[in-house]
Amino acid sequence: MPLRRIVPLSNEGGAHEGDRELRSVCCYCGTGCGVRVQVRDGAVLRVRGDEDHPANHGKLCSKGLALADTVRRDGARVLSAQWRESRGAAHQDIALDQALDIAAQKLADTILTHGPDALGFYLSGQLLTEDYAVFNKLARALAGTNNIDTNSRLCMSSAVSGYKRTLGADAPPACYDDLDLADTVLIAGSNMAYAHPVLFRRLEAARARRPGMKVIVVDPRRTDTAAFADLHLPIAPGTDVALFHAMLHVMVREGRINRAYIDRHTDGFDTLMHTVEAYPPTVVQDICGVPAADIIQAARWFGSGGAALSLYTMGLNQSTQGTDKNTALIHLHLATGQIGKPGAGPFSLTGQPNAMGGREAGGMATLLPGHRDPAVAQDRAEVAALWGVDRLPDTPGATALELFDAVLEGRVKVLWIAATNPAQSLPDQARVRAALEQAEFVIVQEAFAGTETLPYADLVLPAATWPEKSGTVTNSERRVSRVHAAVSPPGDAQPDWRLAQAVAQRLAARIAPDKAAAFAYRDESEVFAEHVRTTAGRDLDYSALDYGILDRDGPQQWPYRAGQGTARLYADGAFPTPNGRARFCDVRYLPPADALTPDFPMPLTTGRLRDHWHTMARTSLARVLTQHVEEPWLSLHPDTLQRLGLASGALARLRSRRGSVVLPVQADEGLQRGHAFLPMHWGSAYMAGLGVNALASPATDPFSRQPELKFSAVAVEPAALPWQASGWLQGDSVALRARLAPWLRRFDYAVVLPSSAGGVRIRVAAAQAPDNDVLAELAQSLDLCQADVVFDDLAQGKLRRVAVAEGGLRAFLLAGDLRAQDALLSWAAGGKAPASVSALLAGRISGPARSRTVCACIGVSESAILAGIARGCDLDGLKSTLGCGTGCGSCVPEVRALIARASTRVDICQARQPV
Ligand SMILES: Nc1nc2c(c(=O)[nH]1)N[C@H]1C(S)=C(S)[C@@H](COP(=O)(O)OP(=O)(O)OC[C@H]3O[C@@H](n4cnc5c(=O)[nH]c(N)nc54)[C@H](O)[C@@H]3O)O[C@H]1N2
Ligand SMILES: Nc1nc2c(c(=O)[nH]1)N[C@H]1C(S)=C(S)[C@@H](COP(=O)(O)OP(=O)(O)OC[C@H]3O[C@@H](n4cnc5c(=O)[nH]c(N)nc54)[C@H](O)[C@@H]3O)O[C@H]1N2
Ligand code: SF4
Ligand SMILES: [Mo]
């Protein structure tokens, strides 16, 4: 279908003369939804789904719908280059040209003094393909090092090694249409309802149309995704290989495999069968902790002969057995021939918007452009020829965690970090921070202010970001889409590839003037043209694509040959291995690395929430996205809370072998008893200590080098911090967070958060009331030295103050007595003012309780939904009476789960009635 780049708007819906609408792609998850960005006077007015984009057909999730709210041109952004003369000195704004010279000089000096491998580039799956291409050429062809890796190492590298090991190439063989066509869908280690919501909507719709479709979810937690399943297998964390082997065992025993396919198209089956014999469901049920009957049921559905599709993400990849888990899952498809046909195949969903593009452009230590391998001389020679240089380095490059280890060992001196926030997202933060401190020089190329990594920068380069950048991304189904810049970057910010290009030209002038021409791109289309040439003749060949075709014909799936994309791979059973056959590999189950011991008895897993994105630089700017979950908490099963003597909301200290954090606990019946879950999003910019990843284990998969972010052994105990304070202040949350951040370093428990009411929230806790001058300082930082209602009792460490403005709340601070907190927060959020503020502060009256927002689009709270359920509404009834779930639909799984939970409670009550 033809896609025009810029469409004049019709005059409906308040469009003005001169408004433009550009087609682009959402900058969050690997679903790669097409968006239309409406622009007026150089500013983004609105973002909506693109009906013509095949990834989403017009739908967006809550994050995509809130994109316009995250576009900023002020202090929320890095607007200029910054430099500091020495560690400890403050950053100073400098001219961009000067910053680029400093960067080039530092790289040149380091290469000349210590050799090229003293440099390390740590990039991101959120860069555009053009960004990777220029960085990659800079690192390998000019600087001469393979030390270039990305945060995809934390994300997709086990999927890459799983595909390569079994199928021969790193290529998801299925496509989104297969979600509509599958008869059995096996979702493993993926919480699609939160992490790929638009694809989940599609699956919901497909099953509604075809009720015979069976959905199996493998996840230790009962997530909203699991609640949707016909069969949920709540396995013990890390035991997926045993489960998949047991499913294969059953399929073999029951004659559910496709022997003809195995004989014709694969190698290694019989060897694997010797191993799989040792994995009958009766044995595996004890490893995985799920009944043998459920394993057998899963195998029967998968091996029913209907189309079987697997969807999988971090529950498989982020493991010391990540590659093996991927491999064991792919075995199920090879053994049944469920690959290369409609509705079937092992479909790894990509996390970041352009993790795929990074894999294609070879933007990782273990990859070269065009799915080539830096360890293979022929591959290096081909890329060198394509790039017009003599040779590429042959020393293996350091992968993400190894880069930081190499800094600690003094081998890497200069780190250049772009579009990732390692001081929050890498495991074992104490070690990561030590490396950032120890590095001789750290360049941080960032778009948003206030990230955890920025304070470690010796040089900050101001990056443009969505929707200021132009280029391409590839989504999970191998579809290359154009990203169009809708507005210009603010301040001195530049697109990432431009910054890399500018430093490359300056570096070439210093160390290899003959190579300057290799970086003489006039615009990103020239970078793309060079990039696509590296795919020619390779499995992913899209050398025939250019921007003109993408703008005219719309996004295309690779391989793209003879003017045509490819929906599914391996339809003919021919695989890109040396002999054309796919491979079964003899893998065995191994337990996770971080051992459970009496000191650290509890498995902790980490993952995503629906409306936050990673370390929240962008999502924290949209108030609507803070309403679903406002603050970090630790989830435990209610029985575990009881056993530990913790009430919901109480503070607990969580320790692993690497660090500790203090957080409030929350009851979650979806967790297994004795297990813990933490959202991954909050780091030291929001909470005391080093954030979630103070705890996480740095153990990695031996093949993919991906860390085991899904499993750490921890201990939980009540934190005796009875004195607490809670405050709120109206205003711009970015500026206010910066103002309040020093409090995070002064308490064992402290959070400073963008508030769902707008403005900023602060909560702190201590073993005893701090001195009065500390209380006064706290009041001052919330502009509450003068307040409209003051109710202090300093002798008791109590301070209660409220300031109002224009009839609404302006600020409050409650210290030592938090009873009025919920009423004040609900007033702050636009709720009713209390009948008497002084009576409220004195504890003589109580206000309305607060309730979480479940539906972000329509703004429907959990309490309203529960009241609706109590009135007897079903999902449709709730939709029609409250409107929840009628916007983007991202909350529907949660609403359904609330209904299900309420109905089990009713069932239990009814069961207890005497007959
Ligand atoms: N809202 C939102 N969406 C996102 C992102 C985001 O930050 N926010 N990030 C994007 C990115 S980069 C990524 S990588 C994806 C990640 O997408 P997902 O992988 O779906 O998300 P996670 O919540 O990290 O983990 C998925 C599930 O793995 C389960 N799990 C833990 N251990 C195991 C195990 O041993 N076996 C199995 N089978 N399951 C296990 C967890 O309980 C969790 O529910 O999301 C993308 N989409
Ligand atoms: N415990 C735990 N830790 C995890 C995970 C987990 O499941 N559990 N998941 C891991 C996974 S899968 C991932 S993908 C990582 C993600 O971890 P990170 O990559 O660290 O997360 P982001 O917050 O997305 O960081 C992107 C940074 O780039 C900046 N930025 C945005 N746009 C641009 C741009 O155009 N140019 C530049 N230069 N900068 C830009 C943002 O402001 C932000 O600081 O986290 C990993 N860490
Ligand atoms: S599913 Fe949501 S976050 Fe992912 S690309 Fe689509 S709109 Fe963006
Ligand atoms: Mo990711």
Side-chain angles (χ1 to χ4, degrees):
M1 113 248 30
L3 272 185
R4 276 164 302 147
R5 193 180 132 170
I6 298 174
V7 254
L9 285 175
S10 69
N11 260 341
E12 290 160 25
H16 283 209
E17 198 64 40
D19 283 3
R20 293 183 310 149
E21 193 172 65
L22 282 96
R23 289 194 156 104
S24 193
V25 180
C26 172
C27 61
Y28 295 117
C29 84
T31 305
C33 295
V35 293
R36 292 174 177 226
V37 187
Q38 189 179 335
V39 180
R40 181 181 300 167
D41 302 331
V44 172
L45 264 191
R46 196 165 79 106
V47 175
R48 63 188 178 106
D50 183 351
E51 305 81 4
D52 295 334
H53 198 290
N56 57 317
H57 303 289
K59 291 203 165 53
L60 294 178
C61 76
S62 42
K63 293 180 295 301
L65 279 173
L67 271 170
D69 297 352
T70 67
V71 181
R72 297 279 289 257
R73 306 182 70 79
D74 60 2
R77 295 288 302 275
V78 175
L79 295 170
S80 61
Q82 292 158 27
W83 185 63
R84 61 177 177 194
E85 237 171 302
S86 60
R87 293 279 159 90
H91 285 124
Q92 293 176 344
D93 288 355
I94 55 170
L96 184 60
D97 262 341
Q98 196 188 347
L100 298 168
D101 283 335
I102 293 172
Q105 191 61 43
K106 189 68 201 175
L107 298 188
D109 291 348
T110 307
I111 293 168
L112 296 176
T113 319
H114 301 288
D117 290 331
L119 307 182
F121 296 80
Y122 185 51
L123 314 178
S124 168
Q126 293 167 63
L127 291 172
L128 305 180
T129 301
E130 292 74 3
D131 299 325
Y132 290 115
V134 178
F135 261 117
N136 207 18
K137 197 176 182 185
L138 159 59
R140 301 192 212 242
L142 175 59
T145 180
N146 284 315
N147 285 342
I148 170 164
D149 213 51
T150 73
N151 60 2
S152 290
R153 189 67 59 186
L154 318 179
C155 185
M156 301 314 298
S157 64
S158 296
V160 174
S161 47
Y163 276 139
K164 283 166 81 169
R165 177 150 81 157
T166 52
L167 309 182
D170 171 26
C175 62
Y176 295 161
D177 285 349
D178 292 326
L179 293 167
D180 300 333
L181 303 171
D183 296 301
T184 301
V185 181
L186 174 62
I187 302 175
S190 152
N191 186 8
M192 289 177 74
Y194 278 14
H196 295 91
V198 166
L199 294 180
F200 194 68
R201 286 299 80 70
R202 189 154 177 182
L203 197 62
E204 287 173 328
R207 196 179 62 178
R209 264 196 321 274
R210 301 170 54 232
M213 176 192 265
K214 296 293 181 205
V215 177
I216 307 162
V217 172
V218 183
D219 194 309
R221 299 188 301 139
R222 188 167 175 84
T223 58
D224 285 354
T225 309
F228 172 76
D230 298 288
L231 178 63
H232 172 211
L233 301 174
I235 59 166
T239 62
D240 302 78
V241 169
L243 174 74
F244 300 145
H245 276 8
M247 286 173 66
L248 186 55
H249 183 107
V250 174
M251 291 198 285
V252 171
R253 199 176 60 197
E254 297 190 354
R256 295 175 183 279
I257 57 169
N258 184 339
R259 193 74 228 193
Y261 189 91
I262 294 169
D263 290 344
R264 221 172 305 133
H265 300 302
T266 71
D267 280 334
F269 184 72
D270 294 332
T271 312
L272 176 65
M273 276 314 97
H274 287 298
T275 300
V276 166
E277 266 168 32
Y279 289 83
T282 44
V283 169
V284 169
Q285 68 178 354
D286 295 332
I287 301 174
C288 295
V290 293
D294 287 354
I295 301 175
I296 293 167
Q297 180 64 77
R300 287 184 179 156
W301 282 344
F302 193 97
S304 65
L309 181 72
S310 306
L311 303 166
Y312 51 102
T313 44
M314 295 310 116
L316 300 199
N317 296 354
Q318 290 175 338
S319 157
T320 45
Q321 276 219 295
T323 306
D324 290 350
K325 286 181 174 189
N326 275 262
T327 302
L329 178 65
I330 293 170
H331 287 159
L332 302 181
H333 290 270
L334 292 175
T336 49
Q338 291 290 349
I339 183 169
K341 57 184 198 180
F347 194 178
S348 150
L349 300 179
T350 36
Q352 296 176 91
N354 198 30
M356 286 288 286
R359 286 144 76 175
E360 293 150 23
M364 288 177 85
T366 43
L367 302 172
L368 281 181
H371 286 174
R372 290 181 181 83
D373 184 345
V376 175
Q378 163 88 18
D379 286 3
R380 288 196 304 273
E382 286 174 13
V383 175
L386 284 159
W387 280 347
V389 295
D390 297 344
R391 56 179 294 277
L392 293 184
D394 54 8
T395 318
T399 59
L401 267 63
E402 292 165 347
L403 266 180
F404 287 77
D405 287 345
V407 172
L408 281 174
E409 289 158 18
R411 288 181 284 121
V412 167
K413 313 273 182 199
V414 176
L415 268 181
W416 185 343
I417 297 164
T420 179
N421 186 10
Q424 145 63 344
S425 54
L426 285 175
D428 197 1
Q429 275 298 311
R431 196 170 163 80
V432 171
R433 306 281 181 120
L436 287 168
E437 299 254 349
Q438 191 169 317
E440 218 175 83
F441 198 74
V442 178
I443 304 171
V444 177
Q445 186 162 315
E446 239 304 332
F448 291 96
T451 74
E452 284 82 355
T453 308
L454 278 170
Y456 294 93
D458 297 293
L459 183 71
V460 179
L461 296 178
T465 183
W466 192 96
E468 302 144 7
K469 295 174 67 174
S470 158
T472 51
V473 290
T474 309
N475 72 7
S476 296
E477 59 166 356
R478 293 170 279 104
R479 194 180 291 278
V480 183
S481 287
R482 278 285 274 130
V483 171
H484 285 291
V487 295
S488 62
D492 291 342
Q494 289 281 318
D496 289 281
W497 75 267
R498 280 281 184 208
L499 294 169
Q501 174 191 39
V503 174
Q505 286 170 327
R506 285 165 171 79
L507 177 61
R510 287 169 169 84
I511 62 165
D514 56 316
K515 288 183 179 163
F519 294 92
Y521 313 104
R522 273 171 308 186
D523 59 24
E524 49 274 6
S525 75
E526 293 189 0
V527 183
F528 187 70
E530 181 177 87
H531 161 68
V532 298
R533 278 198 293 278
T534 69
T535 70
R538 308 287 302 175
D539 67 289
L540 74 168
D541 197 338
Y542 56 93
S543 53
L545 275 185
D546 59 32
Y547 283 2
I549 295 173
L550 289 170
D551 285 336
R552 190 193 66 214
D553 297 343
Q556 299 295 328
Q557 282 174 291
W558 58 252
Y560 176 90
R561 298 191 183 99
Q564 185 107 49
T566 313
R568 293 180 192 86
L569 306 178
Y570 317 134
D572 54 0
F575 291 90
T577 52
N579 67 0
R581 290 164 164 270
R583 295 177 286 237
F584 288 95
C585 307
D586 189 12
V587 301
R588 284 140 214 252
Y589 160 69
L590 294 168
D594 209 23
L596 298 176
T597 58
D599 287 348
F600 297 101
M602 203 181 264
L604 166 77
T605 201
T606 57
R608 283 148 178 85
L609 298 175
R610 192 189 75 197
D611 290 353
H612 292 300
W613 177 260
H614 296 161
T615 75
M616 302 190 300
R618 185 188 286 277
T619 44
S620 67
L621 301 174
R623 179 179 156 194
V624 66
L625 296 181
T626 62
Q627 293 176 347
H628 184 232
V629 179
E630 187 182 46
E631 61 179 317
W633 31 245
L634 169 71
S635 301
L636 296 167
H637 189 276
D639 293 353
T640 310
L641 283 182
Q642 202 181 19
R643 181 170 59 77
L644 294 169
L646 282 162
S648 202
L651 293 176
R653 187 178 304 275
L654 180 62
R655 287 181 298 113
S656 80
R657 295 187 174 88
R658 295 153 294 275
S660 75
V661 295
V662 176
L663 282 175
V665 292
Q666 169 185 281
D668 182 348
E669 287 169 13
L671 280 181
Q672 298 181 39
R673 286 174 183 79
H675 288 206
F677 172 78
L678 264 187
M680 68 165 290
H681 305 289
W682 286 275
S684 62
Y686 300 91
M687 62 188 271
L690 299 184
V692 175
N693 280 323
L695 306 162
S697 159
T700 56
D701 176 282
F703 304 98
S704 66
R705 301 281 168 206
Q706 179 158 354
E708 192 152 56
L709 290 161
K710 289 284 179 268
F711 193 102
S712 309
V714 297
V716 179
E717 67 214 8
L721 303 171
W723 182 87
Q724 299 199 12
S726 168
W728 175 85
L729 176 58
Q730 190 183 63
D732 174 46
S733 72
V734 176
L736 292 175
R737 274 179 46 219
R739 188 210 291 189
L740 297 180
W743 289 106
L744 297 174
R745 314 288 157 248
R746 293 176 66 172
F747 288 92
D748 265 6
Y749 166 73
V751 287
V752 171
L753 307 160
S755 168
S756 58
V760 72
R761 270 194 77 185
I762 179 168
R763 252 183 92 187
V764 299
Q768 59 208 37
D771 291 346
N772 288 347
D773 42 346
V774 175
L775 290 178
E777 218 185 312
L778 198 53
Q780 189 179 14
S781 47
L782 291 167
D783 296 340
L784 280 168
C785 291
Q786 307 284 317
D788 296 297
V789 187
V790 176
F791 212 89
D792 293 351
D793 179 358
L794 291 175
Q796 300 287 322
K798 286 185 184 166
L799 187 147
R800 285 154 288 187
R801 295 183 178 194
V802 165
V804 289
E806 289 160 21
L809 191 60
R810 183 175 61 74
F812 77 79
L813 175 63
L814 300 171
D817 176 356
L818 268 51
R819 283 175 298 172
Q821 179 183 249
D822 279 5
L824 291 173
L825 284 170
S826 113
W827 184 18
K832 258 189 26 214
S836 153
V837 177
S838 2
L840 179 75
L841 294 190
R844 289 199 306 273
I845 59 166
S846 56
R850 275 180 96 215
S851 179
R852 218 162 46 84
T853 305
V854 172
C855 172
C857 302
I858 314 292
V860 184
S861 68
E862 184 174 18
S863 57
I865 294 170
L866 290 174
I869 297 170
R871 286 195 306 273
C873 289
D874 60 2
L875 180 59
D876 288 334
L878 293 170
K879 281 182 171 175
S880 61
T881 54
L882 300 173
C884 55
T886 56
C888 72
S890 299
C891 68
V892 169
E894 190 168 344
V895 176
R896 207 184 282 123
L898 288 173
I899 297 170
R901 222 171 295 149
S903 72
T904 14
R905 290 218 181 90
V906 172
D907 289 348
I908 292 166
C909 302
Q910 284 166 349
R912 283 195 192 135
Q913 300 286 323
V915 189

